[in-house]
Amino acid sequence: MTENETSVVMLGPRDRLIGELYIEGNLRVSGTLEGQIEATGDVDVTEAATVKATVAGREVNVSGQVNGAVTASKKLIIGRSGSIVGDVRVPRLIMQDGASLSGNVSMGPKVAAEFAQAAAAEAAPAPVEMAAAVQSATDGETAQEKAKAKKR
Amino acid sequence: MDTQQAVADAAPHEANEDGVESRRDGANKITLGPGDSLDGKLNYNGHVTVQGQAQGEFRVTGNFDVGNGATVKALIEGSNVTIKGDVEGVLTARDKLTLGKSAKLSGDVTVKRLQIEDGASFNGHVRMGSFEQSSGS
């Protein structure tokens, strides 16, 4: 599955993003981020990063500051310099000594099953071939995101 | 000098033999084996290790360990709390809470430090940092 990812987005230490971000791929944040982020791949929040956003990804790695809810469909790793203030929803959670977390934690097989269901539900209505999906995904997903934003 | 030192050395040993409570840091230890069970309220000056079943309210000055295969349904309060078994209840670790890879914890925790190993399962609220003593109640 990892090989299918199309993009890697990096935000340097002096970069800033305020708004809503959706990525088909991986994200690495070292700067400031506010709003909402969702990546189909892995999200890496480095030590220098300040994130005030809801974060969703497959594997989320936090070594910096995150203020907001975090969901990971595979697992969440909070490094020793990492800090999360917000609710966490993950099937697997690894927390190193020194890491900080304040919020509600939901995890385990139940959560994993929910993610699997969600993934299946997303995949079912759009049985597009992978090659075509890469092209159309950008347009399709932004439209979806806009629709989501409107609902909110 | 030698005799004085010898006297000084001897004194704490005597104290140890006299009173079990003389050691603050928990030289005392209770271990509940895999077949043991405890139901009730325990205030203990020392370390507690549970490998069997325990239910109730446990406040210890030292460490509280829940072994692999143990089942604990209780209010737990200790310095270092290490969990490798099943725990349900409100938990306070004055220093550190460690969830081993076989741990299953469900309940709200208040801790100073928290370490979770891969494979552990946890559901509940975490409060960290600014620590309040709640042992008065």
Side-chain angles (χ1 to χ4, degrees), chain A residues 92 95 97 101 103 105-107, chain B residues 113 116 118 120 122-124 126:
Chain A
R92 276 163 71 197
M95 194 164 167
D97 190 12
L101 170 64
V105 179
S106 317
M107 65 182 294
Chain B
R113 284 155 66 203
I116 302 176
D118 192 10
F122 171 48
N123 281 283
V126 184

Side-chain angles (χ1 to χ4, degrees), chain A residues 75 92-109 111, chain B residues 96 108 112-129:
Chain A
K75 69 175 167 185
R92 276 163 71 197
L93 170 62
I94 296 144
M95 194 164 167
Q96 289 171 2
D97 190 12
S100 159
L101 170 64
S102 288
N104 240 314
V105 179
S106 317
M107 65 182 294
V111 179
Chain B
K96 184 178 165 186
D108 295 350
K112 198 165 155 199
R113 284 155 66 203
L114 174 58
Q115 183 177 353
I116 302 176
E117 287 172 20
D118 192 10
S121 165
F122 171 48
N123 281 283
H125 191 267
V126 184
R127 244 196 64 204
M128 266 183 110

Side-chain angles (χ1 to χ4, degrees), chain A residues 5-90:
Chain A
E5 256 118 43
T6 49
S7 54
V8 177
V9 175
M10 307 244 281
L11 285 178
R14 282 157 54 178
D15 298 345
R16 186 172 62 215
L17 170 74
I18 298 173
E20 201 175 303
L21 178 66
Y22 176 85
I23 300 168
E24 293 261 319
N26 302 338
L27 169 67
R28 192 179 161 86
V29 190
S30 300
T32 305
L33 216 153
E34 280 176 38
Q36 266 180 50
I37 49 174
E38 188 182 343
T40 57
D42 303 342
V43 178
D44 216 340
V45 178
T46 68
E47 219 164 305
T50 310
V51 175
K52 282 184 189 163
T54 56
V55 179
R58 189 182 55 190
E59 191 176 314
V60 181
N61 216 312
V62 176
S63 295
Q65 306 270 329
V66 174
N67 212 311
V70 179
T71 49
S73 60
K74 190 178 166 205
K75 69 175 167 185
L76 167 65
I77 300 169
I78 312 175
R80 55 185 67 251
S81 56
S83 159
I84 295 179
V85 178
D87 294 351
V88 165
R89 205 170 168 74
V90 292

